[in-house]
């Protein structure tokens, strides 16, 4: 599932494949930009901002994309078969002499002026993996609505950018609070530690192909505390992990280790 660390890794791969190279093919398969042709322009940079991707192109243009739940960018060598999904799921193709980047199932794809990037990402809170990271601002944002459930507050990218459903569940577990507990019911030091822990988790996983929050080896079955572990024993106390929907997404918690409401 694409979260801040996954999107950063995607940006790095795209940058390595496209930056400082001239586009020999550009195919944007969304109606609004279907006639846009960037062929002959040089890709300057590919960067992530929270869970957004910004591909900056010569001439003051930026291709903005977002992966959401199951979008992906795949990179292929010349002549290599594209394997990211059926052709009708392709939304973008950017190619140069050495690589072809193919965007599959991209729910957000738009071409905008680089000077207007803030229209796409200016609403975001501080990026957990970005140069603008500011824990004090993130803490202030989270506390701006004390009645809001913790899980919802963590997922709101306007508070802090980069947390998705996996990190939400894991952070709630580490805070010993259910995702439905009002954030204002947590002690101030607990919320401050939560912000610090969020940054630490994404930093630790920023270069790993498979994330871990427990410290266990990434390919083991114990790499996450609660996410995806429905009815399996809690790694801390042995109680079966429970799951329920929160804001139309599955969330996971331990009924013994975490306190607070369960819906």
């Amino acid at each position: 599932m694409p979260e801040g660390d996954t999107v950063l890794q995607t940006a790095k791969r795209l940058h390595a494949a496209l930056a400082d190279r001239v586009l020999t093919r550009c195919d944007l398969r969304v109606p609004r930009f279907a006639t846009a042709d960037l062929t002959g322009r040089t890709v300057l940079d590919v960067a992530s901002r929270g869970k957004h991707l910004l591909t900056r192109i010569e001439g003051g243009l930026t291709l903005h994309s977002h992966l959401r739940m199951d979008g992906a960018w795949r990179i292929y060598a010349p002549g290599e078969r594209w394997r990211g999904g059926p052709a009708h799921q392709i939304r973008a193709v950017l190619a140069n002499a050495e690589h072809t980047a193919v965007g599959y199932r991209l729910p957000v794809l738009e071409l905008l002026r680089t000077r207007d990037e803030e229209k796409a990402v200016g609403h975001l809170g501080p990026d957990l993996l970005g140069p603008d990271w500011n824990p004090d601002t993130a803490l202030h944002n989270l506390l701006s609505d004390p009645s809001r459930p913790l899980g919802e507050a963590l997922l709101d990218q306007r508070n802090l950018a980069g947390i998705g459903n996996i990190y939400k569940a894991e952070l709630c577990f580490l805070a010993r609070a259910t995702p439905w507990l009002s954030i204002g019911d947590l002690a101030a030091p607990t919320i401050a530690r939560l912000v610090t822990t969020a940054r630490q988790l994404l930093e630790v996983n920023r270069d790993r192909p498979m994330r871990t929050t427990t410290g266990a080896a990434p390919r083991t079955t114990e790499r996450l505390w609660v996410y995806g572990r429905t009815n399996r024993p809690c790694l801390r106390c042995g109680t079966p992990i429970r799951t329920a929907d929160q804001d139309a997404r599955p969330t996971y918690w331990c009924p013994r280790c975490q306190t607070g409401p369960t819906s």
Side-chain angles (χ1 to χ4, degrees), residues 30 33 51-53 63-68 71 73 91-92 104-112 120:
V30 293
F33 303 105
K51 295 193 281 185
H52 297 251
L53 285 162
L63 186 65
H64 166 230
S65 59
H66 195 296
L67 306 180
R68 287 195 182 160
W73 280 95
R91 297 293 177 266
Y104 291 91
R105 301 171 299 278
L106 301 175
V108 175
L109 186 71
E110 61 175 343
L111 190 63
L112 62 152

Side-chain angles (χ1 to χ4, degrees), residues 204-205 207-224:
V204 164
N205 288 293
D207 296 317
R208 288 177 171 171
M210 188 173 292
R211 68 174 62 91
T212 177
T213 59
T214 63
R219 296 194 178 277
T220 68
T221 60
E222 298 180 348
R223 60 188 180 87
L224 299 176

Side-chain angles (χ1 to χ4, degrees), residues 232-253:
R232 298 177 66 184
C234 173
L235 297 176
R236 181 178 286 159
C237 73
T239 303
I241 298 299
R242 296 179 62 186
T243 184
D245 283 349
Q246 182 181 36
D247 197 23
R249 302 184 189 186
T251 194
Y252 305 83
W253 78 99

Side-chain angles (χ1 to χ4, degrees), residues 14-15 17-26 37-46 54-63 94-98 111 114:
L14 287 170
H15 183 88
L18 299 176
D20 300 320
R21 295 180 174 90
V22 176
L23 291 173
T24 57
R25 180 181 178 185
C26 171
D37 186 6
L38 305 177
T39 302
R41 297 177 187 247
T42 300
V43 174
L44 306 177
D45 177 42
V46 183
L54 302 169
T55 302
R56 299 175 179 125
I57 301 163
E58 180 185 13
L61 295 174
T62 294
L63 186 65
L94 301 176
N96 54 48
E98 290 91 7
L111 190 63
T114 301

Side-chain angles (χ1 to χ4, degrees), residues 12 36-37 58-59 67 115 120 142 148 172 185 210 216 231:
K12 288 181 176 180
D37 186 6
E58 180 185 13
L67 306 180
R115 65 172 179 263
L142 287 170
R148 195 169 191 188
C172 289
D185 290 337
M210 188 173 292
N231 295 326

Side-chain angles (χ1 to χ4, degrees), residues 25 29 99 130 136 157 164 187 198 214 229 233:
R25 180 181 178 185
R29 302 182 184 180
H99 305 98
D136 294 332
Q157 303 300 296
T214 63
R229 294 181 56 85

